[in-house]
Amino acid sequence: ADVSGDTGQQIIHADDHPENWLTYGRTYSEQRYSPLDQINRENVGNLKLAWINELDTNRGQEGTPLIIDGVMYASTNWSKVRALKADTGALLWSFDPKVPGNIADKGCCDTVNRGIAYWNGKIYVGTFDGRLIALDAKTGKQVWSANTIPQDGALGKQRSYTVDGAPRIAKGRVLIGNGGSEFGARGFISAFDAETGKLDWRFYTVPNNKNEPDHAASDNVLMNKAYKTWSPTGAWIRQGGGGTVWDSLVYDPVTDLIYIAVGNGSPWNYKYRSDGKGDNLFLGSIVAVKPETGEYVWHFQATPMDQWDYTSVQQIMTLDLPINGETRHVIVHAPKNGFFYMIDAKTGQFIKGNNYTYENWAYGLDPKTGRPIYNPEALYTLNGKEWYGIPGPLGAHNFMSMAYSPKTGLVYIPVHQIPFVYKNQAGGFTPHPDSWNVGLDMVKTGLPDTPEARTAYLKDLKGWIVAWDPVQMKTMWKVDHKGPWNGGILATGGDLLFQGLATGEFHAYDATNGNDLFRFNAQSGIIAPPVTYMVNGKQFVAVEVGWGGIYPFSAGGMSRASGWTVNHSYIAAFSLDGKAKLPPMNALGFLPVKPPAEYDAKVVDKGYFEYETYCQVCHGDGAEGGGVLPDLRWSGAIRHQDAFYNVVGRGALTAYGMDRFDTSMKPDEIESIRQFLIKRANETYQREIDARRNAKDIPENATLGITQ
Ligand SMILES: O=C(O)c1cc(C(=O)O)c2c(n1)C(=O)C(=O)c1cc(C(=O)O)[nH]c1-2
Ligand SMILES: [Ca+2]
């Protein structure tokens, strides 16, 4: 039998069956281009909602559904999976891995899941608590489950691992990475036998802290090449160094290599992490390894000395492009750092690169090596100054997929600008259990609440589609969006681009010039990438709807600059003859409840510090919610000390993802947060009322909040 299995051949020949969507990026090249053209520029204006399937988690939905012979398989928040009839949305089966609710705060960025893999009759999903599970595609019954995190992985709770990326499958091996670098993590990927779930090999992306063998595929290259790029006495020894592989991880059948897209440093702070010394391999890199053994072949490091959370985990796409008169098989890559790279897919040689958006941390790239030419001001951990960085830690491009059309020769990148103030944590590196541990001043990273500061910052928040010519390395045109954090992009043979937006609209654009050809009000921000498929000769376009991910969590109220939206989670499918209607939904959230009038002014500063340390990354900067998780200013629990302590200290809501914090804070610290929340509620109450009054579509009825 063919070692690569039938599914491997089917993925390689995906264009013979364009009705299906077999793997995360549709093909191994991850171009997210479908040749289907029944829906095209002429008729897309008539696109209609065909069906919706409502989800049971009102959190961010980032999944790419797969479509195999008329069945849609979709993963949703909390690592759940469901199979639907792709033409009607009718549920065939659903699977809940029962991830414990109290681990939501073990990952940085919402309990999302980006997708699943299919291989010879089985569906594979990674779960937020670190399992890899194989399901029977017909029944949804579990076939096997493997723990992807090694026994000693957590290093006495110093490190934290969560899985939210889509597995990929190469030659019968399921590849899976994880996240955790914001807490403490040593990145790695694992390859499991698709049939049995047995671990085949593991590759660590950063060295062993004692430079000892891990008995892993990475031993040689880490001990001989990578270790000497780290200071032996930096905080990485406990925190793991980072380099998590939380998103892109692809197999290329042309070169027969696996490309590992490696993340940021842990802690972020380079001075604390590595004493400000060395390039810290393989942070911010692409590493190529052999599929059978995981043996190292080459690497390309985009961001040496990372101190900005500039992961290179973003999508790896392969293309065959004309370069100086010859066709070359290349990787194109638009990581967080704002530069677009073209790399030889076989050798890892840097071919060319250019910035695809405004950035202020580097003057450009060395034309020979691709190494950034640093702006010394940006090296805040070395110069000790504050740095207003563009891009910030959410990058110029995040997990949202880009797409390529062979008809236009353009790469369509969902780009955003979200600046960030980087500043060293005072007094050296102090990790806190159950919180981000990046070595930065977390109060500083939040925004001052003066109207002037807010207005100035809002002007810098932007989002676009950049239509990028990968050969000329330049922007051909753009589509401006209202603000940052819009969904991934799909390109089709009908010369169309599909994209859901943070505003809560779903759009189709002309792939040749960006003209807006179709819009649908989905009533909730969309961050997931659309897919397209065919059932009985009819083309559908589908997308998971559901505002979330790290941006609305952490930026909170500021994220409404992209369009005021709340979370309604469902899968939507569109066709030219669709007849479905959305049920009435509250698009803007409820009117706030008037907060208690009194607070203890002596402890609010302390409360602000505790809030920004433990709460901000989920409930929003300055205690203003971003429309997904509860906005704590209007929570009933802040009205009474015991009620608040029951939730925050004792974990009354762990089942919903709210961990208990009596393990990391004392009762008076928790109470100081409550006092701070009451203060913020009073300060911002009128602004919230006015904002709703001044926006159109604001629900008139404060209790129901339904516009229709
Ligand atoms: O360093 C990491 O381990 C890690 C993990 C993840 C994740 O697992 O989702 C994200 C990030 N970093 C990250 O930097 C980031 O911007 C991000 C956005 C998202 C998201 O789903 O919205 N996840 C992550
Ligand atoms: Ca990160």
Side-chain angles (χ1 to χ4, degrees), residues 108 181-182 244 246 264 268 309 311 336:
C108 62
S181 292
E182 272 65 76
T244 42
W246 56 269
N264 58 279
W268 292 1
D309 190 14
T311 63
K336 275 187 183 178

Side-chain angles (χ1 to χ4, degrees), residues 41-57:
R41 280 190 288 185
E42 278 63 52
N43 60 22
V44 71
N46 299 323
L47 201 62
K48 310 248 170 31
L49 187 67
W51 54 258
I52 72 162
N53 181 277
E54 292 191 67
L55 302 178
D56 55 356
T57 54

Side-chain angles (χ1 to χ4, degrees), residues 121-264:
K122 290 196 251 320
I123 294 286
Y124 301 84
V125 61
T127 70
F128 204 68
D129 55 357
R131 290 168 284 160
L132 177 68
I133 296 179
L135 304 172
D136 183 321
K138 284 227 163 58
T139 62
K141 294 265 171 336
Q142 181 171 313
V143 180
W144 56 255
S145 171
N147 178 7
T148 70
I149 313 300
Q151 289 296 306
D152 55 354
L155 195 80
K157 292 196 176 170
Q158 196 78 30
R159 301 181 190 168
S160 185
Y161 292 97
T162 48
V163 176
D164 53 22
R168 313 295 207 283
I169 307 194
K171 296 182 151 177
R173 291 172 183 83
V174 193
L175 309 169
I176 188 80
N178 48 62
S181 292
E182 272 65 76
F183 297 80
R186 179 182 176 211
F188 61 88
I189 71 156
S190 317
F192 291 89
D193 184 298
E195 285 308 310
T196 63
K198 196 171 152 286
L199 178 68
D200 198 354
W201 51 261
R202 185 164 271 151
F203 187 98
Y204 288 89
T205 59
V206 298
N208 175 293
N209 57 5
K210 300 193 191 86
N211 202 24
E212 285 170 357
D214 300 300
H215 308 289
S218 42
D219 282 359
N220 248 330
V221 68
L222 293 179
M223 293 171 71
N224 296 320
K225 204 175 215 159
Y227 184 75
K228 54 180 177 252
T229 68
W230 294 74
S231 162
T233 49
W236 72 276
I237 289 174
R238 282 166 323 209
Q239 295 301 115
T244 42
V245 186
W246 56 269
D247 196 12
S248 200
L249 173 57
V250 306
Y251 171 64
D252 180 0
V254 178
T255 57
D256 196 26
L257 292 173
I258 288 166
Y259 306 126
I260 306 174
V262 185
N264 58 279

Side-chain angles (χ1 to χ4, degrees), residues 24 148 229 244 273 291 302 310 324 344 356 362 390 419 449 463 478 484 488 514 533 549 567 623-624 630 690:
Y24 188 68
T148 70
T229 68
T244 42
R273 181 178 74 241
Y310 286 171
N324 302 330
D344 187 287
Y356 58 87
I390 299 177
D449 194 45
K478 290 184 189 181
Y533 58 93
N567 182 298
E624 296 187 31
D690 292 345

